Amino acid sequence: MFPLNNIFIQNLQSFGNDVTIVDVLRLDAIHKIVSGNKWFKLKYYLQEAINNNCTTIITFGGAYSNHIIATAFACENLNLRCIGIIRGEESTTLSHTLQQAKDYGMELQFVSREAFKNKSEIASKYSNDKAFVIEEGGYGELGAKGAADILKVTDISSYTHIICACGTGTMLAGIADAALPHQQVIGINVLKGYENINEDARQIMQSKKEFIVLNKYHFGGYAKHPQQLINWMNNLWRKENLPTDIVYTSKLLFAVNDLLSSEYFLPNSKILIIHSGGLQGNLSLPKGTLLF
Ligand SMILES: *Cc1c(COP(=O)(O)O)cnc(C)c1O
């Protein structure tokens, strides 16, 4: 069910130089709609649900959530009933993401932003003994375990640094667990003021490996996308043919470029950027904003 064979590594000529190699692991290539890390984060939850004879999956997200669409798609494929608790009131026209999720059979339940904060209470409203609840963004130990498998898709032993974007920190936790002892793992936090990310990631790790989180590349906050970021994305597309999204990967690539220009990495570093996919956020932009 998890189509992993399209993943490839792309070298970024315009980032590297004689002494530094910069590559991107293109997890976004997995699938047109369900791209990136969400596949990895979901798989052990779904397996656990099936093992426990659960027939319904309940999860949470916003109107442009990559996690919502991935869950909807996976549940349709596994013949599981699927309920998506969506933050915010229902609008007359569904976002592209939600429409797509609905087409995959997800039952959408809209709750106010206030009510959304108390997830266990909402979940209990829809839950029964056949239901399995997956946290927003797939946060949790099984999510991290799945994310650890990202580093198994190809031989990553030659890299000195592995860098990924982080929202809940679940992918970061898994990558830190799976990284080799000589590799430094860096997370680019896309949320503003989410100070607990280090502890939250640590809590769901299997190992005590070290990692670094950089907090200054959020561009104003979650999903904020000033013109400077849009220009950066279009330039990146022109130069490297690399599509990125406004929420996660554009900020990740910007951060790596910034770190390179401030000589953050020692000479002879070999850097692997995890392109975690997720192009749903871009669908919120007016047509023509992006070149891709
Ligand atoms: C969800 C997502 C992330 C963040 O993953 P976490 O495990 O929540 O930190 C990063 N990149 C993309 C493209 C995503 O969709």
Side-chain angles (χ1 to χ4, degrees):
M1 184 190 78
F2 294 93
L4 301 178
N5 33 8
N6 294 325
I7 295 171
F8 63 100
I9 285 190
Q10 177 181 354
N11 177 252
L12 297 185
Q13 293 281 332
S14 68
F15 281 56
N17 54 42
D18 328 342
V19 290
T20 314
I21 293 170
V22 183
D23 287 347
V24 184
L25 181 64
R26 294 284 305 271
L27 298 183
D28 60 310
I30 292 176
H31 189 270
K32 220 169 64 203
I33 296 156
V34 190
S35 74
N37 71 357
K38 299 300 182 280
W39 277 120
F40 290 88
K41 291 201 287 180
L42 276 172
K43 61 179 180 169
Y44 292 116
Y45 289 116
L46 297 172
Q47 212 170 69
E48 177 90 352
I50 291 166
N51 291 347
N52 291 331
N53 296 318
C54 292
T55 51
T56 303
I57 299 292
I58 300 177
T59 198
F60 309 86
Y64 295 96
S65 164
N66 297 310
H67 169 69
I68 284 291
I69 195 113
T71 307
F73 182 81
C75 287
E76 173 165 85
N77 275 272
L78 294 169
N79 268 322
L80 292 165
R81 186 179 165 210
C82 174
I83 300 174
I85 314 275
I86 310 300
R87 178 179 56 237
E89 306 301 332
E90 182 165 12
S91 63
T92 39
T93 53
L94 287 179
S95 70
H96 187 276
T97 308
L98 294 182
Q99 185 57 52
Q100 196 78 246
K102 200 171 165 181
D103 293 346
Y104 289 140
M106 182 180 260
E107 297 162 38
L108 304 175
Q109 300 290 348
F110 292 84
V111 302
S112 71
R113 278 161 199 278
E114 210 37 52
F116 193 82
K117 287 179 187 151
N118 194 343
K119 299 211 177 49
S120 50
E121 191 182 307
I122 317 167
S124 67
K125 226 171 107 181
Y126 299 100
S127 201
N128 55 46
D129 57 355
K130 293 280 172 228
F132 187 93
V133 178
I134 302 178
E135 282 198 43
E136 186 176 21
Y139 175 80
E141 277 181 32
L142 291 179
K145 184 179 170 199
D149 289 347
I150 290 172
L151 296 191
K152 295 186 190 143
V153 299
T154 184
D155 179 8
I156 50 103
S157 58
S158 65
Y159 293 97
T160 56
H161 296 77
I162 301 173
I163 310 189
C164 68
C166 38
T168 64
T170 308
M171 173 169 56
L172 177 69
I175 284 177
D177 270 336
L180 299 168
H182 70 276
Q183 296 175 327
Q184 186 172 80
V185 173
I186 303 172
I188 304 301
N189 188 359
V190 303
L191 286 116
K192 185 177 164 182
Y194 177 22
E195 309 291 346
N196 267 344
I197 188 160
N198 293 58
E199 290 74 40
D200 288 352
R202 190 145 296 291
Q203 208 162 53
I204 56 172
M205 282 173 68
Q206 303 296 313
S207 71
K208 298 218 176 303
K209 295 246 193 64
E210 294 299 320
F211 58 84
I212 293 172
V213 177
L214 299 177
N215 290 308
K216 63 169 187 177
Y217 295 107
H218 55 68
F219 278 81
Y222 186 75
K224 293 278 190 297
H225 50 279
Q227 190 60 40
Q228 185 203 4
L229 188 69
I230 301 289
N231 295 346
W232 162 254
M233 292 167 77
N234 281 332
N235 282 332
L236 196 57
W237 171 254
R238 275 196 210 96
K239 277 195 296 209
E240 300 281 1
N241 245 307
L242 183 68
T244 49
D245 78 295
I246 55 170
V247 183
Y248 297 101
T249 53
S250 58
K251 296 174 185 182
L252 167 67
L253 271 289
F254 182 93
V256 174
N257 188 56
D258 189 58
L259 294 171
L260 284 161
S261 48
S262 57
E263 296 182 4
Y264 181 91
F265 305 102
L266 291 172
N268 300 316
S269 291
K270 193 171 171 194
I271 297 158
L272 183 66
I273 301 170
I274 309 295
H275 190 316
S276 36
L279 302 172
Q280 295 299 325
N282 291 355
L283 299 170
S284 68
L285 299 172
K287 269 209 161 39
T289 308
L290 297 171
L291 300 173
F292 52 89

